[in-house]
Every structure is written in structure tokens, then in C-alpha cells.
Amino acid sequence: MLRFVGQRLLTLIPTLFAVLTLAFVLVRIVPGDPALIILGDQATPEAIAKFHEQTGLSKPIWQQYLAFLTQLIQGDLGVSMISNRPVLTSVLEVLPYTLELSLAGVFVGVALGVPLGVVAARSNGGWVDWFVRIFTLGGLSFPAFVSAVLMLLVFSVMLGWFPVIASGKPITDPWGRFMSLALPATNLGFVMMAYVARVTRGGMMNVLRSDYIRTARAKGVPASRIVWKHALRNVLLAVVTFTGLYFSVLIGNSVLTEIVFNRPGLGKLVIGALERRDYTLLQGLVVAYAVLVVVVNALTDLCYRFVDPRVKA
Amino acid sequence: MSAVVTPRHRVARLAPGRIAIVAGVAIMAVVIFAAVFAPIIAPHDPYAQSMLARFRPVSAEYWLGTDQFGRDTFSRILYGLQITLWTAFASTALAMVCGTAIGILSGYHGGRVDRWVSAANDLLMSFPQMVAGIIIVALLGPGITNLIIAIAITAFPAFYRMARSAALALRERDYIDACRVLGYSDIRIIVRHLLPETLDDIIIVATLWLATAVRTESSLAFIGLGAPPPAATLGGLVRDGFDNLLDYPGLAIWPSLAILIVMIGLNLVGDGLRDANDPRATA
């Protein structure tokens, strides 16, 4: 097992390397000199030269790249061009909020989607199946910001159940933190639920046709036990795969959710960095996002091994 | 017990795929009509501001009310539909052509080229699509063409993977071998024999990605990275409405509904096509 984990982690290295290079290139192909954008059109040549000196932009590109990599290996993402704060500090400050939101979103999505899919598969063409089908089609059709705005309007403004400005509460206020998380997480989960329900339904239909289910049925195992115990275990594999693949969509949706609910997080940081043209912060955020997705993909693979002992290598 | 065994119920015979396609096409026909004939249908100039007509409620003159500059919401939604639909169709078409061409070539050719292109594609996929879209638009600068390019880049991997795996599977078939023995050129084999085989799947992916493109476009517009003002975009309208959510919720609700209608229409068509093509899905 340890060997498998080790091997999987080793395969991460080339991917991460490529991602880091892309982040480096991406930020440098931006048209325009960041010095002019930050210092303004009126900047004197001396000021521009000084800025280039400070940010390392005066060095040849390969030296910049080497410096970027050596800094990264030491866990240093550089300092913000605008505020001079270390980028890593800014990222780590808000990362817990984004992680918390994403995980809660996955939880809501799976907790609602799986039962919905199972019920639909059991109904198979009946009216429950139709209802789930239409319901999930609706779920698939909501861009995350539309559902977020409508949820905010209904549950916070009209009904007043949740705070209108759900900005992150400190951990010392667990109830406040939960209340400010509930609506944004439901928003992420609502869209995900639709996909999970469909994956579960499709998987369930396939599994229910297999021989071991027929055997179980022949033995007289009650139908609900067959579905919820024997079949569901196999379907969950598909759900795990899907969750891994979906994670990058979920992260994208979390950007929109953070904006609407005014939550701190990576998404808000990206928008802020873009508005202020803070390229070093942007570069650090691109790295953070890519690392997040790559790590989650690796975790999904590891998850397989735990859910299904048959998966080897 | 019967719930587990019965393979097919009465309702399923109505062929859900076909109903979905008909409903989806009908919705999209109305939406496209409204967008194309927006200049004729729109009761007001979408850009005309009037300080005397700010925040008007729904009325016979202003069907969906007016915004903070006195502009007619209904007219603005119609013009927003134009931008949304054009961006979605253009970006999906661009991604479809490029993704399919490179995917088929890569899969058919195989070897080192295929490995490198696939690796580059995987790299593109390791960025969250929405985040990639935001960064690409921000780097390219505002403008509809840049928006189309950015959305096409985020949609590229879906078509690439689809076309590549199809080409990989097909190139081992006997009839393709036969083509080679007959001395057909690679181009002829790809265009005349591989492409038609993969076209069904690619069109289904394209309809489903149209919905995703609409989602991406409106999301970017909501963030403020859509078509630059004064153009009316659906996402931008929601954004403006969101700023006045407490006092005038309608301004956010109407464009939201417009986006939903487009999304549901496209998803119905895509879903229906997929079902109609895959008998297992409804069985």
C-alpha cells in the first residue's frame, strides 16, 4: 500500500513541474509592462528601472525562471507586486475558507445526489424516475452565480433564515460559521447533486443487471437490501471517480459563490489580483489552484484503493 | 421486488429522448428567434438612458421594468441573448473544429506526437475551467473575440479527448487497414472514413458544450469580464441587478430566468440526443 502511495506521489512531480512552468509563462505573456500598469503612465524611467530591479524583471527570462523555481522549492511564492506581502501568506490565509466551502459542497452534493439517483434507478421509467430526470435537468441548467443570487434572495433577503453577508466567521464562533457556510455550500452542492444523481442512476442500472445481484435475489435477499447494500457499494466507485473529475468544476463554481456571498477565499483573491494587476499574486494563485486539482486527482486514485480492494496499481 | 426486476415501464415507451429533443428545439427556436429579431421585437432602445424612468416597475410600457439608468430590461435581455448565443455558438464551433481535427490526427498518428499533445491537453485540464476562463480573458483583454477564444480554449479538451479516443479505437479496424492496403492517403482515410464515424458523438458533445459555453459566458459577464459596456449581457444584467438586490430584486430575477431558459433548452436537446443515440440510457 505504502509503495502504491509513493508511486502515485512520484507521478505528481512531472505534472506539477509542467503546471508551474505554465503559471510562470502565463503571467509573463501578458501584454504591457507591469511596471507601467502599476506605476502609471507618468512614471519616470528611473522609477521603472527601479521597479524592474526590485521585482527581478530586469534579469534574463531564464534567470527569472530559475529564481521562480528555487523560491518555490523553498516554499516561497514571492511577494505581491502591490502590497509587498508574501503571496504564500495571502493564499494560506484564505485557503481554509475555500477548502471548507468545497468540501461542504461535495458533502451536500453526494448526500443528496446518491439517494436521488438510487430512487430513480429503482423507479426506472416510472414517475419518480421522470421527476428526478426533470429535477436534475433543472440542476444542470443553473449557472452557479444564478442559483447563488436566487438563493440569497429567497433564503436570506425574503425569509431571513441566513445572514445576507455570509463573510467568513472565525472558528471561535462555530454557529455563526456554520450559518455563513450553509447557504454557499448548498449552492455548490445543488449543482453537483444533479450530476451525482445521474451518475448514480446510470451506475445502478448497470450493476442491477449483473450476475451477483441476480444471485442475491435468488437467495431471497430483500430488494431494498440488495439495492442499498450490495449494489450501492459498486456504484459508489463511479461516484468517487466522478467527484474527482468534478472537483475542478466545483472549484470554478466556488469562485462565483464566493463573489455572491461575499466570502473570503481563493476566488475573491483572484478577482482582486486581476483588478489590481498584481501579477505575482496571480501567478501564486494559478499555482495554488493547479496544485489543488492535481492533489485531489491523486487523492481520488488513492480513494479507489480503499473503496475497491480489487483496484491494483 | 418488481422495482429491481422490471426492465421497462409504460412511461419509458414515450421515448423520453424524443420528447426532450422536441421540447428543447422548441425552446431554442423561440430563443434564437427572439435574439435574431431583437431590433424588431425590442420595444425600446436597449442603450437609451432616461433619468426620469429609473427603476420603473413592470408595466405595459416597460414589460420587465427599467434599471438604474432607466433602460428597458426586456429590450436589454433580448440584446443580451444575441451576445450570449453568438459567443456560445462561435466558441463551441471553434473548439469543435480544432479539438476534433487535432484529436483525430493525434489518435490516428499515435506515437510520440500523440503523447506530447495528450500531455499538453492534460495540462490544460488540470486548471479549473472557470479559473482558466477568467485568467485567459483577463490576459487577452476585453472584447467578444477574446471571449470566444477563451471559452473555446476551455472547451477544447472535451472535443480533443472524444475525437482522439474514437480515432485510436477505429484505426485498428480491418476496414481502415483495407483502406491503407488500397493505398489511400492518410487525409482521405481521416476525412472520408474516420470523421463520419465520430461525427455523431462529436455533435452530441457539441450540444452539451453549448450549454457549458452559455454558462461560462454568463459567469464571466457576471464577474465583469464579459463583452465590454455599454453592451448588454445576461450575466452583466444579473450583476447590475445583484447590486440593487435588496430594493429591486426583479432586475436580477428576469435576466436569471432568461439564462435558465436558454440552459434548459440546450440541455434538453443535448440530453435527448444522447439518449436517442444510446439505447442503454433509457432501457
Side-chain angles (χ1 to χ4, degrees), chain B residues 38-198:
Chain B
I40 300 169
I41 304 171
H44 297 272
D45 178 351
Y47 307 115
Q49 304 188 2
S50 163
M51 277 313 168
L52 297 173
R54 296 175 72 216
F55 296 122
R56 286 289 172 81
V58 173
S59 66
E61 195 187 354
Y62 301 105
W63 294 358
L64 300 178
T66 62
D67 68 1
Q68 72 269 37
F69 297 113
R71 296 175 298 196
D72 181 46
T73 304
F74 180 66
S75 306
R76 288 180 70 73
I77 288 178
L78 289 181
Y79 278 85
L81 275 178
Q82 281 187 339
I83 293 181
T84 296
L85 291 181
W86 162 241
T87 321
F89 279 106
S91 58
T92 306
L94 187 63
M96 181 173 83
V97 172
C98 298
T100 308
I102 299 177
I104 288 189
L105 282 176
S106 172
Y108 180 75
H109 193 279
R112 199 182 293 165
V113 176
D114 180 46
R115 272 205 302 279
W116 278 102
V117 180
S118 296
N121 189 64
D122 287 348
L123 187 60
L124 191 57
M125 285 180 70
S126 68
F127 286 98
Q129 189 214 337
M130 193 62 225
V131 177
I134 291 173
I135 291 173
I136 296 170
V137 175
L139 294 185
L140 291 176
I144 292 184
T145 315
N146 288 345
L147 198 60
I148 290 171
I149 294 172
I151 298 174
I153 293 176
T154 62
F156 176 88
F159 292 98
Y160 171 82
R161 296 219 310 180
M162 179 96 227
R164 177 179 172 268
S165 59
L168 270 180
L170 286 173
R171 87 183 166 146
E172 306 299 333
R173 295 273 189 84
D174 288 343
Y175 79 96
I176 297 292
D177 269 347
C179 288
R180 262 190 226 117
V181 172
L182 282 169
Y184 289 179
S185 69
D186 282 350
I187 304 231
R188 177 167 177 182
I189 295 177
I190 288 173
V191 174
R192 298 282 301 273
H193 301 279
L194 284 182
L195 194 58
E197 281 287 305
T198 52

Side-chain angles (χ1 to χ4, degrees), chain A:
Chain A
M1 189 52 169
L2 267 180
R3 201 165 144 226
F4 174 74
V5 174
Q7 277 172 351
R8 187 64 185 83
L9 289 179
L10 273 182
T11 62
L12 287 183
I13 293 174
T15 322
L16 278 178
F17 188 72
V19 162
L20 297 178
T21 310
L22 190 66
F24 176 83
V25 173
L26 215 58
V27 174
R28 270 154 191 83
I29 55 169
V30 187
D33 186 344
L36 280 180
I37 293 161
I38 290 163
L39 302 174
D41 295 339
Q42 309 294 317
T44 57
E46 293 82 42
I48 290 174
K50 194 171 167 233
F51 182 86
H52 281 171
E53 196 66 44
Q54 280 171 348
T55 49
L57 287 171
S58 56
K59 290 182 193 143
I61 194 90
W62 64 270
Q63 281 190 11
Q64 289 184 37
Y65 182 59
L66 272 184
F68 169 69
L69 285 184
T70 21
Q71 277 185 344
L72 262 181
I73 291 168
Q74 296 160 352
D76 181 2
L77 283 173
V79 287
S80 154
M81 276 185 182
I82 310 287
S83 65
N84 270 328
R85 286 189 78 201
V87 170
L88 191 66
T89 317
S90 303
V91 170
L92 288 183
E93 215 169 60
V94 294
L95 188 64
Y97 290 102
T98 298
L99 281 183
E100 172 190 72
L101 177 63
S102 311
L103 292 179
V106 168
F107 176 77
V108 174
V110 172
L112 294 177
V114 168
L116 215 56
V118 171
V119 171
R122 289 193 71 179
S123 159
N124 188 12
W127 67 269
V128 176
D129 194 14
W130 268 86
F131 173 78
V132 172
R133 205 187 152 93
I134 292 168
F135 186 67
T136 53
L137 191 91
L140 299 182
S141 301
F142 270 96
F145 75 94
V146 170
S147 50
V149 168
L150 296 182
M151 273 187 188
L152 190 71
L153 186 64
V154 173
F155 296 108
S156 294
V157 178
M158 286 159 73
L159 296 173
W161 292 352
F162 298 93
V164 174
I165 295 179
S167 56
K169 291 278 194 308
I171 203 83
T172 45
D173 175 13
W175 178 245
R177 184 134 174 162
F178 173 76
M179 287 305 274
S180 68
L181 178 65
L183 214 47
T186 310
N187 182 49
L188 281 185
F190 169 69
V191 184
M192 182 178 174
M193 164 208 73
Y195 290 94
V196 172
R198 294 192 157 199
V199 170
T200 308
R201 179 185 178 276
M204 195 52 112
M205 305 283 270
N206 278 334
V207 171
L208 286 182
R209 263 186 237 121
S210 54
D211 288 341
Y212 82 96
I213 295 295
R214 202 172 42 196
T215 311
R217 210 181 293 135
K219 279 181 8 189
V221 180
S224 62
R225 200 177 143 84
I226 291 180
V227 170
W228 291 103
K229 187 133 190 274
H230 299 240
L232 191 61
R233 280 190 89 151
N234 265 319
V235 175
L236 282 184
L237 260 184
V239 174
V240 170
T241 314
F242 172 77
T243 305
L245 287 174
Y246 184 78
F247 189 76
S248 81
V249 179
L250 190 96
I251 282 286
N253 284 342
S254 77
V255 175
L256 297 162
T257 308
E258 281 168 7
I259 294 171
V260 173
F261 290 100
N262 198 18
R263 273 177 67 88
L266 291 180
K268 287 267 285 191
L269 212 54
V270 166
I271 303 299
L274 282 176
E275 276 168 3
R276 286 189 292 275
R277 303 257 153 194
D278 190 341
Y279 293 121
T280 36
L281 180 56
L282 200 59
Q283 175 179 279
L285 283 165
V286 172
V287 171
Y289 272 117
V291 169
L292 208 57
V293 172
V294 170
V295 168
V296 166
N297 283 343
L299 282 179
T300 315
D301 282 2
L302 294 181
C303 239
Y304 273 172
R305 287 276 294 214
F306 289 109
V307 181
D308 187 353
R310 286 170 306 180
V311 178
K312 288 261 148 63

